[in-house]
Amino acid sequence: QVQVVESGGGLVQAEGSLRLSCTASGTISSINSMGWYRQAPGKQRELVAYIVGTDSANYADSVKGRFTISRDNVKNTVYLQMNSLKPADTAVYYCVVEVVIDIDLRTRDYWGQGTQVTVSS
């Protein structure tokens, strides 16, 4: 079984910064990708950023240049540094971890419970 736990959310003023963390624990042989999604009230969940390995990162256009995703493979942890935050970034942020589950390299996604980020104007 794999557990995914996020932390670091909170309330911040516009143009402020927050750093989210997400750690996967349990029975893990290896992790393929790690990423962040978010869901604002009344909206669909959307991809924010994901990283494959330690240096192949991808971002939603809305956060490029403001958010940075990074990963510590030893700690099975992914970070999301969020700068120049806007009220439109207000959402619950979810971490997803793509874990390799067998020798055929099939994978399964594990999700965290989410952490609230609120940006005030």
Side-chain angles (χ1 to χ4, degrees), residues 4-5 7 19-24 33-36 49-51 69-73 75-80 95-97:
V4 176
V5 178
S7 62
R19 188 193 194 207
L20 305 183
S21 300
C22 166
T23 298
S33 66
M34 304 181 83
W36 294 92
Y50 70 92
I51 184 167
I69 190 169
S70 61
R71 175 175 167 178
D72 184 330
N73 286 335
K75 296 180 180 179
N76 288 338
T77 297
V78 62
Y79 306 96
L80 186 68
C95 176
V96 59
V97 179

Side-chain angles (χ1 to χ4, degrees), residues 37-111:
Y37 282 72
R38 67 186 181 187
Q39 187 166 19
K43 295 188 177 181
Q44 290 188 328
R45 191 172 297 190
E46 63 175 1
L47 176 67
V48 176
Y50 70 92
I51 184 167
V52 181
T54 57
D55 58 2
S56 179
N58 294 271
Y59 299 92
D61 287 343
S62 59
V63 307
K64 281 181 182 177
R66 300 187 298 123
F67 291 11
T68 302
I69 190 169
S70 61
R71 175 175 167 178
D72 184 330
N73 286 335
V74 174
K75 296 180 180 179
N76 288 338
T77 297
V78 62
Y79 306 96
L80 186 68
Q81 177 65 44
M82 306 185 293
N83 299 328
S84 301
L85 282 160
K86 305 175 181 179
D89 295 316
T90 296
V92 177
Y93 284 70
Y94 297 92
C95 176
V96 59
V97 179
E98 184 186 18
V99 177
V100 177
I101 60 172
D102 60 29
I103 60 172
D104 294 322
L105 301 182
R106 289 179 295 184
T107 62
R108 179 178 295 164
D109 289 343
Y110 291 89
W111 291 83

